[in-house]
Amino acid sequence: MVTIGKLAKQFNISRSTLLYYDKIGLLKPSGRTSADYRIYTHEDVDRMAQISLYKEAGLSLDEIAEILDSLDDQLSGVLERRLDQLNVEMSRIRQRQQFILQLLGKDSLLKKAKVINKQQWVQMLSASGMDEEAMRQWHIEFERTLPEAHRDFLESLGLNDEEIEHIKAYSHQSMAS
């Protein structure tokens, strides 16, 4: 049996967080002492470990409750939805990053921003010995094996939707040939 203070310390969270978890039904203590202090069993500690793990994955408390309280295996579906959300968020962040770089108009910030643009990417491929046809083949293979990652990569280079669709369409035409 573990007290609320020890549980909070073990998971590096506040006592008030555990009180909130109790209030919303996410983690209720299994018992109380004669002085009415909350006490947690080994099973409660295991549940808190799961909560902590899922919070680290960025899941909301509602999503965590859905996983922990479901009779069916909801984990896969919830994690897949979270992964989709993260992909959308990352795409938005990359777009904002590219936009800010354009607003600043300083090439010197490209290294600091940890991004690469289309021009830099093409220069690197050329410098490594790839000609236009080899670059096309690279896009075709990327599109064939990982189409969504290909789109994300093209977005990360700062390409607009029209240019991305053109590259993807070309890759599909070439795959069909």
Side-chain angles (χ1 to χ4, degrees):
M1 298 283 199
V2 178
T3 64
I4 193 170
K6 287 182 181 177
L7 187 63
K9 186 175 182 177
Q10 181 178 345
F11 288 94
N12 197 29
I13 58 175
S14 68
R15 183 179 175 281
S16 61
T17 297
L18 287 171
L19 294 174
Y20 180 69
Y21 289 175
D22 184 4
K23 180 180 176 182
I24 64 171
L26 186 60
L27 180 67
K28 294 204 165 281
S30 290
R32 298 224 176 217
T33 66
S34 58
D36 205 31
Y37 292 117
R38 290 168 172 81
I39 52 174
Y40 298 87
T41 63
H42 179 68
E43 289 79 19
D44 297 330
V45 173
D46 288 346
R47 184 173 173 98
M48 185 59 228
Q50 288 181 298
I51 292 168
S52 182
L53 177 72
Y54 296 139
K55 279 189 61 62
E56 185 68 26
L59 299 180
S60 71
L61 295 180
D62 288 339
E63 290 169 324
I64 294 170
E66 180 182 342
I67 292 169
L68 296 178
D69 296 337
S70 69
L71 297 175
D72 301 324
D73 183 21
Q74 298 290 323
L75 177 61
S76 180
V78 170
L79 289 177
E80 286 175 18
R81 284 193 308 269
R82 181 61 184 143
L83 188 59
D84 288 342
Q85 291 168 348
L86 287 172
N87 285 333
V88 169
E89 289 172 30
M90 287 188 304
S91 178
R92 286 185 190 138
I93 289 170
R94 280 193 300 267
Q95 289 171 353
R96 288 181 185 140
Q97 188 180 40
Q98 291 287 344
F99 183 67
I100 289 171
L101 285 169
Q102 288 173 2
L103 287 174
L104 290 170
K106 295 180 180 177
D107 289 339
S108 62
L109 291 177
L110 286 175
K111 288 181 185 177
K112 184 178 180 182
K114 300 178 186 175
V115 296
I116 185 169
N117 62 27
K118 177 185 172 184
Q119 179 185 2
Q120 292 168 315
W121 180 247
V122 171
Q123 286 173 346
M124 283 193 319
L125 293 179
S126 294
S128 67
M130 292 180 78
D131 61 9
E132 283 288 323
E133 183 56 31
M135 289 182 211
R136 283 190 187 107
Q137 288 302 316
W138 182 88
H139 280 288
I140 291 166
E141 186 59 22
F142 203 166
E143 183 66 23
R144 186 183 67 75
T145 57
L146 299 165
E148 289 302 314
H150 187 214
R151 171 176 286 287
D152 287 346
F153 175 75
L154 295 172
E155 287 175 357
S156 77
L157 294 176
L159 277 63
N160 61 39
D161 287 339
E162 185 179 322
E163 195 169 4
I164 290 171
E165 290 308 317
H166 175 74
I167 291 170
K168 289 176 78 62
Y170 176 81
S171 297
H172 283 283
Q173 288 172 352
S174 298
M175 289 188 308
S177 299

